[in-house]
Amino acid sequence: MDDEVRAFLARTEQHYPPDAVDLTVQDQRRVYNAMCADFNVGYPDDVTAQDRAFGGVTCRVYSRAAPVAGTVFYCHGGGFVVGGLDSHDSICAEFCAGTGMQVIAVDYGLSPERPFPGDFEDAWAAFEAVCAETDGAIVLAGDSAGGNLVAAIAHYARGRIDGRITGSLLIYPGLGGDRTRGSYVTHADAPGLSVRDMAFYQTLRSGGQDHTGDPRFAPLQDTDFSGLPPTVILTAEFDPLSSDGEAYRDAIQAAGGRAVWIEEAGLVHAHLRARHMSRRAATSFARMIQALTLLRTGQITDLD
């Protein structure tokens, strides 16, 4: 971990401390929103955004004056407890600028007010409406909790909505992997996200119910990984969720599908926000832009 990443972590902790899960949910949201506002860099010159509903769910649509055909359907991270349209605002604007595609960000319901399956139902309702109201390719994308949601959509869409999803980009996603091995053990107390944090978020999201075996809750617990779109998974070295990326790639490939897993050396969970202060994070962000661009046409073989 280099000095730039350490500086990013220090700046993050000025607003969102390592023990934030000990705060009330409302206070967690307050400090998380303050942190995100501090990292917001605004929009590139040619990007505009407008809020509108898809399937009864508020979304934010980012577009350029000379758009490229296709849509990035984006779900934000935040453990299903924090975050929203503003937390990832400039991130989505830069995805729009970098790919030329319109980006539709989804303001799905959060726990504990709307526990699972409410968050998935919101994301699915928005996705169905986007499919009905837009033309061309749709690339699913999301970070952390959002990576979980868009992976779940890819699984659930099989046999329901075929032919629209040309690819998926999962950014340090939590997919419900085995917590007794791999990065869950070696990086259990990683800065930015710990196994303890994950347990807190999962308890709120589950509403105290056992959702074992439900791929809408944990895509890695599906029994069928066939028929999924080309998938790129980017994880961070210092992150308990890293092993989920490897396991998901292996499951798709074993079922005859196409998937690439890239672990970003020296980086931490939530490094999307570090893209303007860390060269490593900037390189990772450029790789995300490249992946989204390739996935628009279902390609992943040329990914650096």
Side-chain angles (χ1 to χ4, degrees):
M1 191 181 301
D2 63 23
D3 288 344
E4 291 177 339
V5 174
R6 293 182 188 280
F8 163 69
L9 289 169
R11 182 174 169 185
T12 297
E13 291 175 7
Q14 289 177 0
H15 300 283
Y16 200 75
D19 59 352
V21 293
D22 293 329
L23 302 173
T24 66
V25 169
Q26 292 305 316
D27 280 343
Q28 284 185 53
R29 290 172 181 167
R30 176 181 54 79
V31 297
Y32 183 83
N33 290 342
M35 176 194 67
C36 293
D38 184 39
F39 283 102
N40 192 311
V41 296
Y43 291 7
D45 289 341
D46 60 345
V47 174
T48 60
Q50 181 178 9
D51 291 355
R52 58 154 295 187
F54 284 95
V57 180
T58 301
C59 297
R60 185 165 294 167
V61 182
Y62 301 81
S63 57
R64 294 179 62 182
V68 171
T71 298
V72 176
F73 181 89
Y74 196 86
C75 289
H76 68 82
F80 305 98
V81 174
V82 299
L85 296 181
D86 292 339
S87 65
H88 289 60
D89 192 38
S90 63
I91 293 168
C92 289
E94 290 184 23
F95 279 145
C96 175
T99 66
M101 291 183 282
Q102 72 170 348
V103 176
I104 300 178
V106 185
D107 196 22
Y108 59 88
L110 301 176
S111 295
E113 297 89 346
R114 188 156 171 74
F116 179 83
D119 45 24
F120 174 80
E121 290 171 347
D122 286 350
W124 178 256
F127 174 71
E128 279 194 304
V130 167
C131 288
E133 299 178 39
T134 65
D135 296 317
I138 296 177
V139 180
L140 301 174
D143 67 289
S144 196
N148 172 296
L149 284 174
V150 295
I153 286 173
H155 286 241
Y156 195 73
R158 294 172 297 181
R160 293 180 173 89
I161 299 177
D162 292 319
R164 292 300 304 280
I165 304 171
T166 59
S168 298
L169 171 63
L170 313 182
I171 303 166
Y172 37 78
L175 301 173
D178 184 351
R179 296 193 181 186
T180 68
R181 56 187 300 179
S183 58
Y184 284 102
V185 176
T186 56
H187 294 298
D189 297 311
L193 182 72
S194 68
V195 168
R196 176 173 175 262
D197 296 335
M198 293 168 55
F200 170 83
Y201 294 135
Q202 180 167 311
T203 297
L204 283 188
R205 187 195 184 201
S206 68
Q209 303 298 310
D210 183 5
H211 299 292
T212 301
D214 189 338
R216 300 174 305 162
F217 186 78
L220 268 171
Q221 294 183 19
D222 204 342
T223 57
D224 180 9
F225 291 84
S226 65
L228 293 171
T231 301
V232 176
I233 313 108
L234 270 67
T235 59
E237 179 182 1
F238 301 110
D239 185 346
L241 293 176
S242 175
S243 291
D244 278 13
E246 181 180 20
Y248 196 61
R249 176 206 59 188
D250 291 349
I252 293 175
Q253 289 184 347
R258 292 185 293 151
V260 172
W261 168 55
I262 298 172
E263 180 167 84
E264 301 288 18
L267 286 175
V268 294
H269 195 79
H271 66 259
L272 268 172
R273 272 185 285 277
R275 66 197 185 281
H276 289 287
M277 60 183 301
S278 159
R279 284 166 290 184
R280 284 179 173 174
T283 298
S284 180
F285 191 76
R287 204 174 344 261
M288 296 172 200
I289 296 290
Q290 182 190 23
L292 290 169
T293 302
L294 290 170
L295 288 168
R296 185 175 69 88
T297 56
Q299 303 300 312
I300 56 175
T301 54
D302 294 330
L303 187 64
D304 293 337

